[in-house]
Amino acid sequence: QVKLVESGGGLVQAGGSLRLSCAAPEMPYVINALGWYRQAPGNEREFVAGINSGGRTNYAESVKGRFTISRDSGQNTVYLQMNSLKPEDTAVYLCNTGIMRNQFISGGSWGQGTQVTVSS
């Protein structure tokens, strides 16, 4: 298990922006891929975005053009810039370690999650 620490959630009005961060401070080597998932009450956990160590990205259709995932080169810190937020983006956002094939494939380590609430 990899310890993942998320931050940056909060309350924002529709149309606003937030930036989430996730770090793996105790990892001695570069993680192949990191991703973001989200889970709203009563809903299943859903994929949001992923990025590998080479910078290749993968997005859910629902966030394309609004969200941008990035990571520090050679580091295990990943960011999720969320713009044009909608009330339906409200969820707990969780960081995940994984691998990148044709798309991001989740692995076994999850962060504790950070709450994002978008008001209408």
Side-chain angles (χ1 to χ4, degrees):
Q1 287 289 324
V2 176
K3 180 181 179 181
L4 298 169
V5 181
E6 300 112 330
S7 62
L11 173 64
V12 65
Q13 288 188 330
S17 299
L18 282 173
R19 188 190 194 212
L20 307 183
S21 300
C22 171
E26 299 175 357
M27 279 298 290
Y29 56 87
V30 177
I31 297 170
N32 176 272
L34 289 161
W36 289 97
Y37 284 71
R38 65 187 182 187
Q39 188 164 20
N43 289 359
E44 293 186 355
R45 189 171 294 180
E46 64 173 356
F47 171 73
V48 175
I51 186 169
N52 71 0
S53 56
R56 180 183 171 193
T57 59
N58 177 209
Y59 293 93
E61 286 296 324
S62 59
V63 306
K64 278 184 179 179
R66 300 189 298 123
F67 292 10
T68 302
I69 190 170
S70 60
R71 67 187 288 177
D72 290 338
S73 179
Q75 302 295 318
N76 291 322
T77 302
V78 64
Y79 307 96
L80 186 68
Q81 178 66 43
M82 305 185 295
N83 299 329
S84 302
L85 282 161
K86 305 175 182 180
E88 52 263 44
D89 294 318
T90 295
V92 174
Y93 283 70
L94 303 108
C95 187
N96 176 249
T97 60
I99 58 174
M100 186 74 82
R101 293 287 185 260
N102 290 330
Q103 59 188 26
F104 182 85
I105 300 172
S106 68
S109 295
W110 295 89
Q112 80 286 354
T114 185
Q115 177 70 47
V116 171
T117 303
V118 184
S119 62
S120 58

